[in-house]
Amino acid sequence: MSKNKYLVPFILITTLFFLWAFLHNINGILIPHLKKVCQLNDTQSSLIDFAVYFGYFVIAIPAGLFCHRFGYKKGILCGLFLFAVGALLFLPAASDRNFILFLIALFVAASGATFLETVANPYATILGPPESSERRLNFAQSFNGLGAFVAPLIGTRFILSGIEHSQAELDAMQARGELTNYLQQEANSLKLPYLIIAAVLILVAVIFIFTKLPEVTESQAGGHGSKFSFKVFRISHVRWAVIAEFFYVGSQVGVLSFFIRFARFTANIPEKEAGYLLTYVAMVGFMAGRFLGTFFMRYVRPARLLSLYFGDVHYRRGLHPYHDGYHFR
């Protein structure tokens, strides 16, 4: 019994990795779709990504402080609530075809996802033996890859209509008084998916409410009762990790979010076909890399495995777990 006491909590925590993957990986569908629905240009549609990641930038540290004071479980429930509210805001936004309200909805949803990520990543490491914490975290994160595959698949299937008109055709529809009805039909395709997402989030929140989660001590969480301090950036690994994450996320988001638009612009690939290419090629590779990484960690040291993913350059230059005297298990 003691051996399996972490099983149910770990399964629940793992679902969070799957859920917030929707927020990020549905943007590649939302950008071309809302460009059509709200009659935006490409620059304006990029604000979809901005709203999501600005939410992370603003809320990340407050979310950490909240969880530090009120506990991990309350942080999870707060995140699920905010995420669900953001999803529900898509309904009035779609009804009014209001782009500002769409951006607010995405910001609120991203705020909730920030809480979930702030809690789930460290929590996954303590739900089991310390010696397997890295593999456990990577395994949980692999389900983020599964969510990254499912999100564009659902978006392509249920949100993108595949109906794309030229500007001349849109002008003709407007002259006949048909444009508003067409755009509203396109907007309405967002309602059911986001209503279902909100319902799933609320259901998961209810399950968390009635599930007893293990308490987290300061020593398990790696802290000593202190709050966040910018002094943490004195650690070289932290500084370089932040820089690396900044460029990595920027390149990943830039490529995936505008893949459908780029495919249309460069190769005249229809939106649905491009959406399925994004799903079955890029996201399958992303998901496979996640799960394979977890498997290889059983046989390869995490630092060595990471260096292999980056061509071994950093490892050869000495950036390994004991660099600068800072220990990473």
Side-chain angles (χ1 to χ4, degrees):
M1 179 66 71
S2 177
K3 183 178 180 180
N4 295 323
K5 68 177 180 178
Y6 294 128
L7 180 60
V8 172
F10 182 72
I11 291 173
L12 287 176
I13 292 297
T14 299
T15 64
L16 303 180
F17 288 85
F18 177 85
L19 289 173
W20 76 63
F22 269 83
L23 178 70
H24 303 288
N25 295 284
I26 203 69
N27 283 2
I29 304 299
L30 288 180
I31 284 176
H33 190 68
L34 291 184
K35 181 181 184 299
K36 180 196 305 183
V37 167
C38 299
Q39 299 290 275
L40 309 171
N41 58 39
D42 284 318
T43 300
Q44 290 169 328
S45 69
S46 69
L47 291 175
I48 292 169
D49 274 335
F50 178 83
V52 170
Y53 290 97
F54 186 66
Y56 270 75
F57 178 76
V58 171
I59 301 299
I61 292 178
L65 297 176
F66 178 95
C67 296
H68 180 91
R69 180 171 182 179
F70 297 105
Y72 280 21
K73 185 171 182 176
K74 289 185 176 65
I76 291 171
L77 293 175
C78 183
L80 289 168
F81 172 76
L82 286 172
F83 202 158
V85 169
L88 288 172
L89 284 175
F90 264 73
L91 276 64
S95 294
D96 294 340
R97 291 193 296 113
N98 187 325
F99 185 55
I100 299 299
L101 188 52
F102 277 121
L103 295 180
I104 292 173
L106 287 166
F107 177 85
V108 174
S111 299
T114 304
F115 270 86
L116 298 183
E117 290 206 45
T118 300
V119 173
N121 281 290
Y123 207 14
T125 65
I126 65 170
L127 294 176
E131 61 271 15
S132 61
S133 60
E134 297 94 344
R135 292 200 305 273
R136 194 163 51 251
L137 175 59
N138 214 50
F139 178 73
Q141 290 177 337
S142 297
F143 286 87
N144 185 269
L146 179 61
F149 166 76
V150 173
L153 178 62
I154 290 177
T156 301
R157 175 67 180 82
F158 296 104
I159 294 177
L160 296 180
S161 66
I163 301 172
E164 300 175 87
H165 293 293
S166 66
Q167 188 58 50
E169 290 172 329
L170 292 174
D171 292 340
M173 292 174 68
Q174 186 171 24
R176 296 193 301 268
E178 300 172 355
L179 181 60
T180 299
N181 287 337
Y182 160 69
L183 295 177
Q184 191 58 56
Q185 288 177 0
E186 292 283 352
N188 289 341
S189 67
L190 290 162
K191 292 182 178 180
L192 182 58
Y194 276 89
L195 182 61
I196 292 174
I197 290 171
V200 170
L201 290 164
I202 292 170
L203 176 61
V204 173
V206 170
I207 295 173
F208 267 102
I209 289 173
F210 292 101
T211 301
K212 182 175 176 58
L213 299 179
E215 295 295 332
V216 181
T217 65
E218 289 291 344
S219 60
Q220 286 177 306
H224 303 282
S226 60
K227 295 184 179 181
F228 173 81
S229 170
F230 284 99
K231 293 179 180 179
V232 71
F233 291 106
R234 293 177 181 176
I235 302 172
S236 64
H237 276 79
V238 175
R239 292 197 305 271
W240 285 109
V242 170
I243 294 171
E245 190 75 2
F246 175 84
F247 286 103
Y248 157 70
V249 172
S251 60
Q252 175 182 305
V253 169
V255 171
L256 296 181
S257 293
F258 280 89
F259 177 82
I260 293 176
R261 290 289 302 138
F262 184 77
R264 167 59 80 181
F265 182 77
T266 59
N268 201 31
I269 298 175
E271 63 178 15
K272 269 192 173 291
E273 183 179 341
Y276 286 126
L277 284 173
L278 175 63
T279 301
Y280 292 117
V281 179
M283 291 298 97
V284 166
F286 180 75
M287 179 175 61
R290 288 281 200 176
F291 282 102
L292 286 172
T294 303
F295 172 76
F296 288 134
M297 284 180 72
R298 295 177 63 89
Y299 309 101
V300 183
R301 290 179 61 193
R304 178 63 175 176
L305 184 60
L306 179 62
S307 70
L308 291 173
Y309 271 77
F310 282 97
D312 210 31
V313 175
H314 295 88
Y315 193 85
R316 292 181 184 279
R317 292 182 62 186
L319 296 181
H320 51 77
Y322 304 101
H323 183 62
D324 289 347
Y326 192 82
H327 176 69
F328 282 77
R329 181 170 56 238

